[in-house]
Amino acid sequence: MAHEVRIVTEAELRAALPLDLAAVDAVEAAFSALAAPGAVMPPVLSMHLPQVNGEVDVKTAWLPGFDGFAVKISPGFFDNPARGLPSLNGLMVLLSARTGLLEAVFLDNGYLTDLRTAAAGAVAARHLAPSRVDVAGVVGTGVQARMQIAAAHLVRPFSEVRVWGRDGAKAAACAADIAASLGVAARAEPDLPRLTEACQLVVTTTPARSPMITRAMLHPGLHVTAMGSDQPGKNEIAVDALVAADLYVCDRLAQVRAMGELRAALEAGLWSMPEPPELGQLVAGQRAGRASTRCVTICDLTGTGAQDTAIAAHALRALGSAGTRIEV
Amino acid sequence: MAHEVRIVTEAELRAALPLDLAAVDAVEAAFSALAAPGAVMPPVLSMHLPQVNGEVDVKTAWLPGFDGFAVKISPGFFDNPARGLPSLNGLMVLLSARTGLLEAVFLDNGYLTDLRTAAAGAVAARHLAPSRVDVAGVVGTGVQARMQIAAAHLVRPFSEVRVWGRDGAKAAACAADIAASLGVAARAEPDLPRLTEACQLVVTTTPARSPMITRAMLHPGLHVTAMGSDQPGKNEIAVDALVAADLYVCDRLAQVRAMGELRAALEAGLWSMPEPPELGQLVAGQRAGRASTRCVTICDLTGTGAQDTAIAAHALRALGSAGTRIEV
């Protein structure tokens, strides 16, 4: 029996799906659903291709209450920039949760991943940052640095932003972009301890393999979201900082054990606490979030198939009639 | 930098890619490449969805010498037939092996999987069946029963076919289809030992969870290809038959240990032989195939991402200008 599949391009997706509260709410619903009985999220399929300096990840999750589920294919080929091509690409497909039939192919070149990753940062900020944030900081100067700050601003409308980057010019450019797009005061801050000291909310967005945030940088009333680690070997938060925080929350325990900030702490034998809560358990009210304004909280986001399912479902709703229909 | 992606439907693929020797040769090349240094094939991503009687498998492989690699998404939702929908669906995408950029999306509803699975059966027959096959048998009466026999006939042009099925009417219909399409004598055989006795080549194509082929059915000069098992729990060949065969060859050792015929033998503690060869090692000349006309050989095919990469590359070559081009 023939059915219709929607093919949607990056340009069509960008036009229909801005980074807004609707996207944040859609991703928040996925975190909540992931904490519910019946959710199924298999381990990430990771294919490492050292011979071409590449990797391919495939993520998926079936969530109760969702009409569809996404399968996302994310290639990262790191010699591409030298060829004038982006490192990250990929596509996402949406299948019916009841019949498995293909409903849509999103030729997004990674845009939906950027969107759902930023939206997850906003969910973390909503449930873990102090209710009042005056100054927010970001570590890193790429696409996610800009998008994480924009997303956090939706739920904590801070008036000032500080940007740290290894390259001062890139940090200044990133700060200028943020100031222009959000209408906030933003500037580069070359001293990372001074950045964290000034901020109530810090987002780390780097592919660092040795930690950026140390215990000495923590102060009462700080929330840190670390979203850079998504592969074994990456590490943004020092083990002593992770252990010293009043609350460590992750997106998915099985993932942070293998490829998140918890991995280094487990390998060092320094993690002896009970199972950390997952962000979805906070959203669902199953576990407690920030206990007081003076707590130090850390949220570790590796990126989940549940977010992909959420953003794909959101895309199908938001697209209206956009896209090309193909009878298959 | 924008690039063009080709979107190709099942109808376009069926028109351009028949089950022929070119398809068999393409899949044979993948088996050979999988045995070469530099091949990368991660474990299958399997998502089990008992709540909707479904499962989703994702397979991929990067093969040296191939310009692209496939990622295949195969949903199986087994309540679909009651809704008038096919159980098996899915799609395959082809990415550049050098840049990871998406090149083609094959909206094939599983056709390419049928094709590469049948082609693998022909590769097994080519390297393991006696050089002369007069009578071929098939166990099962579905799409693969027809396609496996058609594929085997390309490399062993037998004149007679016997079909066994639990449902005699379906076996008769399958035999009639095979007779009509291949121009051979074909009939249903309700007695499985009599079928195997008459045949030099038998293909099992069932989702059986208790074995069909027992040791008593083996006879000198018989080759059996078992292609039904692709999930833990499935089993077509009795453990004693597997152990008694002169040669057991698999498509991928890691896969047959987990989900092929070898699994039951390992669980029963009855497998004590050295590592069985992979079919690609036979194709590449690294391991020996059938030693004499009187040997009993068994080939265990669970289905690999390497076959998907091969058939996707073959499709791109064979399609000519077919398909819809979308700028992304």
Side-chain angles (χ1 to χ4, degrees), chain A residues 139-150:
Chain A
V139 182
T141 61
V143 171
Q144 275 298 314
R146 289 156 171 87
M147 290 186 76
Q148 287 287 338
I149 286 295

Side-chain angles (χ1 to χ4, degrees), chain A residues 53-67:
Chain A
N53 195 18
E55 63 188 36
V56 183
D57 280 0
V58 181
K59 294 183 177 181
T60 185
W62 191 101
L63 299 177
F66 281 70
D67 292 336

Side-chain angles (χ1 to χ4, degrees), chain A residues 1 7 9 38 42 47 49 51 60 62 69 71 75 77 80 83 85 89 97-102 107 326 328, chain B residues 1 7 9 38 42 47 49 51 56 60 62 69 73 75 77 80 83 85 89 97-102 107 326 328:
Chain A
M1 205 168 78
I7 313 288
T9 64
M47 179 161 67
L49 302 169
Q51 63 275 54
T60 185
W62 191 101
F69 65 98
V71 179
F77 281 64
N80 279 1
R83 303 182 177 110
L85 298 171
N89 283 286
R98 206 172 54 105
T99 67
L101 258 65
L102 178 65
L107 303 171
I326 291 192
V328 297
Chain B
M1 203 171 77
I7 313 287
T9 64
M47 180 161 68
L49 302 169
Q51 63 274 52
V56 182
T60 186
W62 192 101
F69 64 97
I73 302 169
F77 281 64
N80 280 1
R83 302 181 177 109
L85 298 170
N89 282 286
R98 205 173 56 104
T99 66
L101 258 66
L102 179 64
L107 303 172
I326 291 190
V328 299

